């Protein structure tokens, strides 16, 4: 006879979870057999599990926690707001102080030509809003045929029907009959894996001009917008060559195609600028945001709309038959306003740009000296390590894609650091409040994890290189 697990124990929570909880992006059968990790509290840049282990939160939860965990000012702001006004909608000619004030506060930090905000509950809804808003805008401007979106292979734009379709993730497209019509996917600016013998700048122009080729093939008169993440986050922290985004913007302007930056990950300081578009030096027509706007303390997202689109939308669009129950939720607005106040008062965006960002970058880039690391890259506080069995050729592993990354990720959790595996690489995005000492700890753990992974791969006989297939022959210059 076996006794039931004690309540408030790891075994108890695992049993409940396995019996009732279906996890996102998970093989439930395999997860239940292994047993979930139970996180019970968080403080500063650390989370703690039900076994009492302290783990450095190298992924800011899920790219969210700009100001770190346990900020009483945000919690109190939410509580105060909910005591005063727990909920009201923004439909039916109605607003509330938080929604109005937050829209203004976001406009203050957004690029100067962007002064209107549409609120959603999160990033996926924001992307779906862009899909509908852009098509409605062009219809209102007398060009309803402009409905096609251009996006990138391996880009990530959320999990809704529209967001997953705009994204270029093959595993997502393999389920649910995706993508929906009217979307064309083009090359990503991923020099490490797809650049072949091209230099970075040459590859940057090649990848950008793939956008031009797609627009021209579809007919500019039929293309509504190009959407992309300034830095592809879930795709592996793919930092494009410096010439990529300016060339994409030029291509879109020449062809009267709107430019959309999906800033759900890059927005609100992650690159050391308020928005990734600022870092890349481009002026988008629309920006999607979520995550960092509240540092994850409350679900909230939205779309920042440039003046050109807003003017046409407002003057000619009439009713926009779109919205969400929790668009501009009072609690979410209170969390966002408190979060932005902290970011301003503590100058956290500037800190990412001039202090902790450069400090961590210098140490992170030295990880490229490890025999398992082919490339280390980082902008602001978002970085990646490419793991390879053969540095010189930038080779992939012969093992099934993702196996090496998962081995490394499991070692990382065991050693007390959250890093995320993407294919056979590791990605990182810690809170902006990370101290220099904590950055040193992070890098020391990472080096130890790489040593453990390297030894394990040799033990399993997995250090077998496979040549990568470049995006195109190196001699076929654009």
């Amino acid at each position: 006879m076996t006794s039931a697990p004690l309540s408030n124990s790891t075994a108890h929570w695992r049993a409940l979870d396995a019996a009732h909880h279906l996890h996102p992006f998970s093989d439930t059968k395999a997860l239940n057999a292994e047993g979930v990790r139970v996180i019970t509290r968080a403080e500063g840049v650390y989370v703690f599990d039900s076994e009492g282990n302290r783990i450095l939160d190298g992924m800011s939860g899920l790219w969210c926690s700009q100001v770190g965990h346990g900020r009483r000012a945000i919690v109190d702001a939410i509580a105060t707001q909910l005591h005063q006004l727990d909920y009201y909608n923004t439909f039916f000619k109605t607003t509330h102080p938080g929604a109005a004030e937050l829209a203004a506060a976001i406009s203050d930090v957004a690029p100067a030509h962007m002064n209107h905000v549409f609120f959603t509950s999160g990033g996926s809804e924001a992307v779906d809003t862009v899909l509908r808003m852009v098509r409605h805008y062009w219809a209102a401007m007398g060009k309803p045929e402009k409905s096609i979106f251009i996006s990138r292979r391996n880009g990530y734009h959320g999990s809704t029907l529209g967001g997953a379709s705009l994204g270029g993730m093959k595993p997502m497209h393999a389920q649910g009959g995706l993508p929906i019509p009217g979307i064309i996917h083009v090359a990503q600016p991923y020099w490490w894996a797809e650049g072949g013998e091209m230099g970075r700048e040459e590859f940057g122009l090649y990848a950008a001009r793939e956008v031009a080729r797609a627009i021209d093939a579809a007919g500019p008169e039929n293309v509504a917008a190009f959407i992309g993440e300034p830095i592809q986050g879930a795709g592996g922290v793919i930092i494009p060559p410096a010439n990529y985004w300016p060339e994409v913007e030029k291509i879109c302007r020449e062809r009267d195609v709107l430019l959309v930056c999906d800033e759900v990950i890059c927005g609100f300081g992650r690159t050391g600028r308020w928005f990734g578009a600022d870092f890349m030096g481009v002026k988008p027509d629309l920006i999607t945001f979520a995550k960092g706007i509240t540092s994850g303390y409350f679900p909230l997202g939205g779309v920042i709309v440039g003046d050109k689109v807003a003017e046409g939308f407002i003057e000619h669009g009439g009713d926009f038959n779109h919205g969400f129950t929790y668009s501009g939720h009072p609690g979410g607005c209170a969390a966002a306003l408190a979060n932005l106040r902290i970011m301003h008062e503590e100058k956290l965006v500037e800190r990412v740009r001039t202090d902790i960002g450069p400090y961590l970058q210098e140490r992170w880039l030295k990880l490229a000296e490890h025999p398992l690391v082919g490339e280390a890259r980082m902008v602001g506080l978002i970085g990646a390590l490419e793991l390879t069995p053969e540095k010189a050729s930038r080779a992939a592993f012969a093992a099934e894609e993702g196996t090496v990354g998962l081995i490394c990720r499991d070692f990382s959790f065991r050693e007390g650091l959250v890093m995320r595996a993407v294919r056979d690489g590791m990605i990182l995005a810690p809170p902006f409040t990370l101290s220099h000492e904590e950055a040193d700890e992070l890098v020391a753990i990472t080096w130890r994890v790489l040593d453990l992974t390297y030894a394990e791969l040799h033990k399993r006989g997995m250090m077998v290189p496979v040549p990568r297939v470049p995006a195109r022959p190196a001699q076929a210059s654009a």
Side-chain angles (χ1 to χ4, degrees):
M1 178 178 177
T2 57
S3 60
L6 296 174
S7 61
N8 299 325
S9 70
T10 302
H12 169 70
W13 288 315
R14 281 179 172 171
L16 288 179
D17 201 85
H20 304 291
H21 186 190
L22 296 174
H23 287 251
F25 286 89
S26 298
D27 179 333
T28 300
K29 182 178 179 180
L31 180 61
N32 290 347
E34 181 180 352
V36 295
R37 181 181 299 105
V38 183
I39 302 298
T40 56
R41 68 184 183 93
E43 181 180 348
V45 300
Y46 296 97
V47 296
F48 299 81
D49 69 17
S50 54
E51 299 295 299
N53 297 305
R54 188 183 79 163
I55 308 167
L56 203 163
D57 185 7
M59 281 304 301
S60 295
L62 196 59
W63 317 92
C64 300
S65 187
Q66 322 295 63
V67 303
H69 301 289
R71 302 300 292 248
R72 184 66 180 268
I74 301 179
V75 176
D76 288 348
I78 296 169
T80 298
Q81 176 60 65
L82 296 187
H83 280 297
Q84 182 174 344
L85 176 65
D86 55 310
Y87 170 72
Y88 203 73
N89 66 73
T90 54
F91 292 59
F92 317 131
K93 302 181 181 180
T94 303
T95 193
H96 58 83
E101 290 175 8
L102 180 57
I106 292 171
S107 297
D108 283 345
V109 297
H113 68 289
M114 307 189 80
N115 292 287
H116 290 81
V117 180
F118 186 100
F119 289 116
T120 68
S121 305
S124 294
E125 287 182 357
V127 171
D128 271 27
T129 297
V130 161
L131 190 62
R132 294 192 61 190
M133 183 178 283
V134 164
R135 286 176 171 173
H136 180 61
Y137 165 79
W138 282 120
M141 300 304 291
K143 299 180 179 180
E145 66 281 358
K146 287 179 75 70
S147 63
I148 294 172
F149 273 70
I150 310 293
S151 61
R152 299 183 298 207
R153 293 190 288 274
N154 196 41
Y156 183 79
H157 299 296
S159 274
T160 53
L161 194 65
S165 295
L166 283 170
M169 299 285 187
K170 288 182 180 179
M172 298 177 75
H173 290 175
Q175 299 174 345
L178 302 180
I180 61 174
I183 296 168
I184 298 170
H185 295 94
V186 299
Q188 58 181 332
Y190 189 11
W191 174 83
W192 166 264
E194 299 180 4
E197 296 180 9
M198 283 185 278
R200 292 177 189 269
E201 297 300 299
E202 181 189 5
F203 182 71
L205 287 179
Y206 159 75
R209 289 168 184 169
E210 284 294 282
V211 177
R213 283 188 274 272
I215 295 171
D216 292 344
E221 70 280 5
N222 298 314
V223 178
F226 169 81
I227 184 170
E229 305 153 86
I231 294 171
Q232 288 165 246
V237 182
I238 296 168
I239 302 169
N243 58 352
Y244 172 80
W245 270 106
E247 183 70 12
V248 167
E249 181 179 31
K250 176 186 173 186
I251 287 164
C252 289
R253 299 299 174 225
E254 289 173 346
R255 291 159 174 80
D256 196 24
V257 169
L258 297 180
L259 182 64
V260 183
C261 284
D262 184 342
E263 300 257 13
V264 170
I265 287 172
C266 292
F268 297 96
R270 180 60 61 185
T271 65
R273 300 293 192 276
W274 276 100
F275 293 93
D278 299 328
F279 180 85
M280 297 299 173
V282 297
K283 295 182 177 181
D285 296 293
L286 302 100
I287 285 175
T288 58
F289 67 88
K291 296 187 184 291
I293 180 61
T294 67
S295 281
Y297 283 72
F298 203 102
L300 186 125
V303 181
I304 311 173
V305 184
D307 295 341
K308 168 190 166 182
V309 174
E311 181 180 353
F313 190 81
I314 293 167
E315 292 299 319
H316 305 288
D319 281 356
F320 183 41
N321 297 312
H322 175 78
F324 304 99
T325 299
Y326 300 116
S327 292
H329 189 287
C333 291
L337 287 165
N339 179 62
L340 290 175
R341 192 173 304 117
I342 290 171
M343 293 180 73
H344 283 298
E345 290 174 353
E346 299 181 11
K347 294 181 169 53
L348 290 182
V349 178
E350 293 88 339
R351 183 171 188 268
V352 172
R353 184 169 66 252
T354 63
D355 179 13
I356 189 58
Y359 185 88
L360 180 59
Q361 287 163 30
E362 180 183 0
R363 286 148 183 81
W364 183 258
L365 296 182
K366 288 181 180 178
L367 292 168
E369 297 170 7
H370 194 280
L372 188 58
V373 177
E375 180 181 68
R377 54 182 181 264
M378 180 171 280
V379 163
L381 285 180
I382 180 170
L385 300 175
E386 294 283 357
L387 307 185
T388 179
E390 187 178 87
K391 288 175 181 267
S393 65
R394 310 201 303 269
F397 289 92
E400 182 181 357
E401 185 177 76
T403 301
V404 172
L406 292 178
I407 290 171
C408 190
R409 183 199 65 183
D410 289 347
F411 277 126
S412 186
F413 264 101
R414 194 189 77 179
E415 296 299 308
L417 170 65
V418 180
M419 286 195 291
R420 181 173 171 181
V422 177
R423 295 177 300 280
D424 288 324
M426 306 304 295
I427 62 177
L428 186 87
F432 300 175
T433 52
L434 187 79
S435 70
H436 287 198
E437 293 75 19
E438 290 160 347
D440 291 341
E441 177 191 0
L442 184 158
V443 173
I445 294 174
T446 303
W447 193 277
R448 188 163 68 246
V449 166
L450 291 169
D451 282 345
L452 291 166
T453 304
Y454 189 63
E456 182 67 18
L457 297 179
H458 275 288
K459 179 181 175 182
R460 298 191 192 186
M462 293 174 60
M463 292 292 290
V464 179
V466 173
R468 296 184 187 273
V469 177
R472 65 175 175 115
Q475 66 270 20
S477 299

